[in-house]
Amino acid sequence: MSRVNDVPRGTDGTSFEVLVIGGGIIGLAVAWRTAQRGLRVALVDPVPGGGAVQVAAGMLAPVTELQYGEEPLLRLGMASNERYAAFAAELSELTGLATGYRATGTLAVALDADDKAELSELHTFHQRLGLESSWLTGREARRLEPMLAPGVRGGLLVSGDHQVDGRRLAAALVRAGELGGVLTHRAEAVELLVEGDRARGVRLSTGERLFADQVVLAAGPHSHRLPGLPPGVLPAIRPVKGQILRLRIPSAYAPFLSRNVRAVVRGGHLYLVPRADGELVVGATTEEQGYDTTVTAGGVYELLRDAHELIPGITELPLVETSAGLRPGSPDNAPLLGPTALPGLVAATGHYRNGVLLTPVTGDLLAEYLGTGELPALATPFSPDRFAARSQP
Ligand code: GLY
């Protein structure tokens, strides 16, 4: 990875207009988009491009992942989804790196009568909201995806829910930031520096201190744990573990699947994401047990068992990787976007299951706020002060 834009050592007291703490894809997108507006931007992370994206399937699924009562999140997700093709093209043109963005669509299927009833309710909800989704019989679903189990009862075809390769996207965002003048410090942020009543910068594990007019906290499930952060400024961002598998589709089996396939199996979300390069990602568990990222036999077993129920032929494929990561879940599972109660501190965190999907829109909305001081209307339902307001008497 190029280090051309790394700041030389010994720059204690360096000042920027914007300092981003956290170089996951959210922090990277915010830094890049903000630098594009002409602001002097620094980003701090020991391993930029790491974090949850390294374990994500990369489904861009605002419609198939829709939950009741989450309409504002749907609007944000749809806005991001609409930007994705252009966002990916701009990144690739700038960096020469592919992002693996693929407009495949998604097929959500039902394996039994209960799943079918649930999927049918989701279809009704889609129709009520004017979202594009079509009901298929089991036979129609299997005609589209012949590897589906014969018992599949029906499905929903959502032609606008696509995919991107999170690892490639992260690499492209790191490079775009470098090319765009973001000064990257590959070090740990060990303390938020607060002067008077204002966030002023950060102290790094190297001992350096960096100062900025505005500090963006984009440290995923570690955001609220940054030493120096005054109590009550951010709610706890809980780590929600996801285990995921990567298999390979030998060319003799291609096309094994032509689009993302998902189902609810035993109450858990199962999805299979086939990439253009022959990788097949199978995810994911949802486990709330702190900051543990151990891959367990039980997690792998459950994913393979459920995937086999959906696509029996999966057991023929080589299994090439198992991994686990942490989704950053806010108290209401929606992101925190915009200024916090601490002047000078801006949040871009808590994206939970939607980090990859929400990356383009988060980059745009935060860059606009950082450049103009105005939080765009699309972001206001996600203002961090919704938690502060709830704790008022
Ligand atoms: N968005 C998929 C997941 O979090 O598992």
Side-chain angles (χ1 to χ4, degrees):
M1 202 169 280
S2 165
R3 297 175 61 89
V4 285
N5 282 313
D6 283 9
V7 171
R9 287 182 183 283
T11 52
D12 193 65
T14 302
S15 188
F16 298 91
E17 285 167 296
V18 173
L19 173 64
V20 179
I21 301 173
I25 50 174
I26 294 293
L28 289 168
V30 172
W32 173 47
R33 286 302 199 203
T34 305
Q36 281 183 319
R37 298 179 78 103
L39 278 74
R40 279 196 323 283
V41 181
L43 179 137
V44 172
D45 195 298
V47 188
V53 72
Q54 291 296 323
V55 184
M59 240 179 336
L60 307 173
V63 176
T64 41
E65 290 206 343
L66 177 64
Q67 305 277 326
Y68 298 99
E70 289 190 344
E71 286 85 340
L73 190 57
L74 171 71
R75 278 192 288 283
L76 192 68
M78 294 295 279
S80 209
N81 210 22
E82 280 158 19
R83 293 168 203 217
Y84 236 104
F87 178 76
E90 184 182 347
L91 272 174
S92 293
E93 196 170 317
L94 179 68
T95 64
L97 299 172
T99 63
Y101 175 76
R102 266 184 110 190
T104 52
T106 295
L107 178 62
V109 298
L111 283 169
D112 61 26
D114 288 347
D115 298 345
K116 192 173 167 184
E118 199 177 308
L119 209 53
S120 160
E121 273 178 37
L122 182 63
H123 185 223
T124 308
F125 190 37
H126 287 163
Q127 287 177 312
R128 186 152 21 100
L129 295 174
L131 300 170
E132 207 183 310
S133 102
S134 334
W135 182 259
L136 305 182
T137 63
R139 186 185 294 240
E140 287 167 335
R142 280 192 302 280
R143 203 174 298 137
L144 284 182
E145 294 294 351
M147 297 306 286
L148 283 172
V152 161
R153 301 285 189 100
L156 266 189
L157 182 64
V158 176
S159 53
D161 278 6
H162 301 314
Q163 61 164 283
V164 71
D165 183 331
R167 290 177 177 174
R168 291 177 190 266
L169 176 71
L173 279 166
V174 169
R175 186 74 189 126
E178 289 170 347
L179 293 169
V182 174
L183 294 173
T184 304
H185 293 254
R186 288 179 168 78
E188 198 95 45
V190 294
E191 185 188 359
L192 180 72
L193 301 174
V194 178
E195 274 175 21
D197 67 347
R198 199 179 166 83
R200 285 291 294 136
V202 72
R203 188 162 58 80
L204 305 182
S205 47
T206 56
E208 277 177 90
R209 293 178 307 156
L210 303 175
F211 296 99
D213 302 335
Q214 303 187 82
V215 178
V216 179
L217 196 41
H222 306 287
S223 298
H224 65 291
R225 306 204 299 169
L226 181 62
L229 184 69
V233 169
L234 277 193
I237 306 295
R238 66 191 201 288
V240 183
K241 178 175 170 181
Q243 300 190 50
I244 205 159
L245 314 175
R246 287 169 204 266
L247 297 93
R248 192 168 48 74
I249 301 170
S251 48
Y253 288 87
F256 190 79
L257 293 177
S258 303
R259 54 184 60 68
N260 305 331
V261 172
R262 53 185 304 144
V264 176
V265 185
R266 296 180 186 83
H269 292 272
L270 179 75
Y271 43 81
L272 295 95
V273 178
R275 301 216 198 284
D277 63 6
E279 184 175 78
L280 177 66
V281 185
V282 178
T285 65
T286 301
E287 306 164 62
E288 306 230 6
Q289 42 189 301
Y291 290 86
D292 167 54
T293 52
T294 313
V295 174
T296 64
V300 174
Y301 165 72
E302 280 171 29
L303 289 171
L304 285 175
R305 177 197 62 196
D306 295 350
H308 176 252
E309 217 164 288
L310 191 62
I311 312 273
I314 199 158
T315 48
E316 303 293 319
L317 304 181
L319 173 63
V320 293
E321 188 185 315
T322 60
S323 47
L326 300 173
R327 308 172 181 92
S330 75
D332 61 6
N333 291 333
L336 277 73
L337 305 176
T340 68
L342 179 67
L345 186 72
V346 179
T349 188
H351 290 68
Y352 188 42
R353 304 185 78 97
N354 297 301
V356 179
L357 170 66
L358 296 178
T359 291
V361 82
T362 301
D364 291 348
L365 295 175
L366 269 284
E368 188 168 340
Y369 173 72
L370 293 163
T372 65
E374 295 291 329
L375 190 65
L378 193 55
T380 54
F382 306 101
S383 168
D385 66 16
R386 70 189 187 276
F387 297 111
R390 259 179 222 172
S391 60
Q392 303 295 313

